[in-house]
Amino acid sequence: MILTNSIKNIFGIDCENFKKMKTIINHNLLQIEKDVENLKDINVFTKAHSLLVLAEAYPLLQNRAKWEEVIYVYMESIRDDIKLNKVYRFSLFTGLADIAFSVYAINKTTGYYDKFMNSLNNYLAEGLKNMLTNFPKDNLDTMHYDIISGVSGIANYMLNFTDNSQSVNEAVHLALDYLNNLCKPIAVENKLIPGWYTKSYPSQYHANGMSENFNYGLSHGIAGILVVLSNAFNKKLHTNMSGIKTILQEFMSTAYLDENGCHYWGGRVYLEEYLSKNINYETNKRMSWCYGSPGILRAIYLGASSIQDEEILNFCEKSMLNLTKLPTEQFELTTPTICHGYAGLLIILKSNILKTYHLIC
């Protein structure tokens, strides 16, 4: 189902690992081919994620014309699901942005779906505007602003299309204003604290029943805000560095340095811990994309790069290098996934370490 020679040439891998990769890819392709006969009974996001597999595998496929027909059937089914209101959120994970990203990935590979992609993006832009208009003025929730469910994830995807659509451009600028405003301090208990302070995280996550917290993670916290503000700044969509600098300063002032030269941050830091500066770093040492130091360091790296802060870039590079020297059992990873597994760590190491190759030579 995949072209043996092309995958070897692209990845330069040995025969044993090639066989494993071929097995994994073909397993997914067989399932996609099987599902095409019964798409009405399959969840719309399963269909969208199948498109991501096809987008990545496309250069390796045999009988490409056949697979283009499969892609078209999937696209028609996804369009019908949207018309039937089976997509009721706008989020980057299990929302309209999730589907739009999948269509974008296929369109980058095939070039056949510009019209559908642009239609989805304009619909998504209007949805983002409505989200921003209807957010409660008080009681901030991480789902309002984060990468997974909120503004950061949707806006970061839409940065790719600000030159193509006035509606998208307007929505992105509204989102950037919203995220920059979250970086302004607010008064709580007669003290100024960061504006991304939330009160609505379920209290059962904390033994003392506290729900107020500051979230530092990439998936649900301020690292995600930093990513989209930095990417937008690089694209010259805004010139306001205050939000980027505020989040960078927060990370630099709250970093914990251990005996191995590795830096850690709290995942969810509760108000009393934050005010007393008595943060438990031991509970957030998993080397994950979602909450761990690798994901946070990647965000810091992007932020420092956007404003050309060499001191923080050096900090980031050295800390990331020290993480690579840890025994793998200290990574606390148990799955192959991106969110909190080995794939996420590998993606981050590739994106950072390749830029700091001189440090590991």
Side-chain angles (χ1 to χ4, degrees):
M1 298 180 79
I2 59 174
L3 299 173
T4 301
N5 291 334
S6 67
I7 194 170
K8 284 184 176 178
N9 289 336
I10 289 171
F11 296 105
I13 56 178
D14 59 61
C15 290
E16 190 60 34
N17 283 322
F18 164 71
K19 290 178 182 177
K20 293 178 182 178
M21 181 177 287
K22 182 178 179 181
T23 299
I24 292 169
I25 294 173
N26 281 339
H27 172 78
N28 280 277
L29 292 177
L30 285 169
Q31 187 62 51
I32 290 169
E33 195 171 24
K34 178 182 176 181
D35 288 346
V36 78
E37 302 297 330
N38 200 31
L39 286 178
K40 287 185 178 180
D41 297 327
I42 294 174
N43 181 276
V44 63
F45 300 107
T46 300
K47 299 173 197 176
H49 300 159
S50 294
L51 291 182
L52 287 177
V53 174
L54 290 168
E56 289 299 307
Y58 189 83
L60 314 173
L61 294 174
Q62 292 177 323
N63 194 359
R64 200 169 287 172
K66 180 194 97 171
W67 285 106
E68 287 174 357
E69 290 181 11
V70 170
I71 290 169
Y72 182 76
V73 174
Y74 269 79
M75 289 288 188
E76 282 193 315
S77 184
I78 288 171
R79 180 202 61 196
D80 292 342
D81 284 342
I82 294 171
K83 288 182 177 180
L84 292 170
N85 296 318
K86 292 185 178 181
V87 182
Y88 51 87
R89 301 198 306 169
F90 296 100
S91 55
L92 187 60
F93 179 68
T94 61
L96 188 65
D98 189 342
I99 293 170
F101 180 80
S102 299
V103 174
Y104 168 58
I106 284 287
N107 192 58
K108 279 181 67 177
T109 303
T110 67
Y112 297 152
Y113 296 97
D114 270 331
K115 186 176 179 180
F116 187 32
M117 181 186 71
N118 291 333
S119 177
L120 287 176
N121 289 342
N122 286 324
Y123 183 24
L124 184 60
E126 294 307 310
L128 179 56
K129 292 176 191 177
N130 288 331
M131 283 176 60
L132 291 164
T133 301
N134 294 318
F135 279 157
K137 300 300 180 185
D138 299 312
N139 202 28
L140 177 69
D141 192 299
T142 56
M143 290 181 68
H144 297 154
Y145 69 76
D146 71 11
I147 283 282
I148 299 298
S149 300
V151 170
S152 293
I154 301 169
N156 199 54
Y157 161 72
M158 295 178 73
L159 291 178
N160 296 294
F161 309 101
T162 52
D163 293 335
N164 303 341
S165 165
Q166 181 63 30
S167 182
V168 169
N169 191 281
E170 291 171 358
V172 166
H173 278 89
L174 288 172
L176 296 175
D177 289 343
Y178 170 78
L179 295 174
N180 269 309
N181 282 332
L182 289 183
C183 299
K184 297 177 180 177
I186 58 174
V188 173
E189 297 185 7
N190 296 319
K191 294 184 178 180
L192 288 178
I193 61 172
W196 54 76
Y197 162 75
T198 64
K199 297 182 181 181
S200 54
Y201 206 93
S203 59
Q204 64 264 31
Y205 280 81
H206 194 275
N208 295 329
M210 294 184 297
S211 60
E212 300 88 351
N213 73 93
F214 305 87
N215 197 307
Y216 289 84
L218 180 57
S219 57
H220 296 294
I222 60 172
I225 298 177
L226 181 57
V227 167
V228 66
L229 289 180
S230 302
N231 288 339
F233 189 82
N234 286 335
K235 289 177 66 71
K236 297 180 170 54
L237 290 173
H238 71 107
T239 58
N240 183 0
M241 292 190 291
S242 61
I244 296 172
K245 288 184 175 180
T246 296
I247 297 177
L248 286 174
Q249 177 57 36
E250 180 70 17
F251 278 125
M252 298 303 291
S253 65
T254 57
Y256 168 75
L257 177 65
D258 75 357
E259 66 277 6
N260 298 310
C262 300
H263 293 89
Y264 299 93
W265 289 265
R268 290 184 296 271
V269 176
Y270 296 90
L271 182 61
E272 67 177 29
E273 297 170 327
Y274 187 87
L275 294 177
S276 66
K277 300 187 184 303
N278 184 26
I279 299 171
N280 183 2
Y281 296 98
E282 294 299 323
T283 60
N284 197 43
K285 286 196 169 183
R286 183 163 62 176
M287 295 293 109
S288 62
W289 172 91
C290 52
Y291 272 96
S293 295
I296 291 173
L297 282 167
R298 175 60 178 161
I300 295 172
Y301 191 95
L302 290 173
S305 296
S306 71
I307 63 171
Q308 299 180 352
D309 190 313
E310 293 297 327
E311 182 179 352
I312 297 180
L313 282 173
N314 289 335
F315 159 88
C316 226
E317 292 172 349
K318 291 176 182 177
S319 186
M320 186 68 80
L321 177 63
N322 289 333
L323 290 178
T324 67
K325 297 177 181 178
L326 291 175
T328 54
E329 58 267 20
Q330 292 187 26
F331 291 172
E332 299 183 16
L333 301 173
T334 58
T335 76
T337 61
I338 289 176
C339 183
H340 45 270
Y342 285 100
L345 177 59
L346 287 170
I347 289 170
I348 292 166
L349 290 175
K350 181 177 183 296
S351 63
N352 267 43
I353 295 298
L354 291 182
K355 295 178 182 177
T356 59
Y357 187 70
H358 61 283
L359 292 176
I360 55 176
C361 288

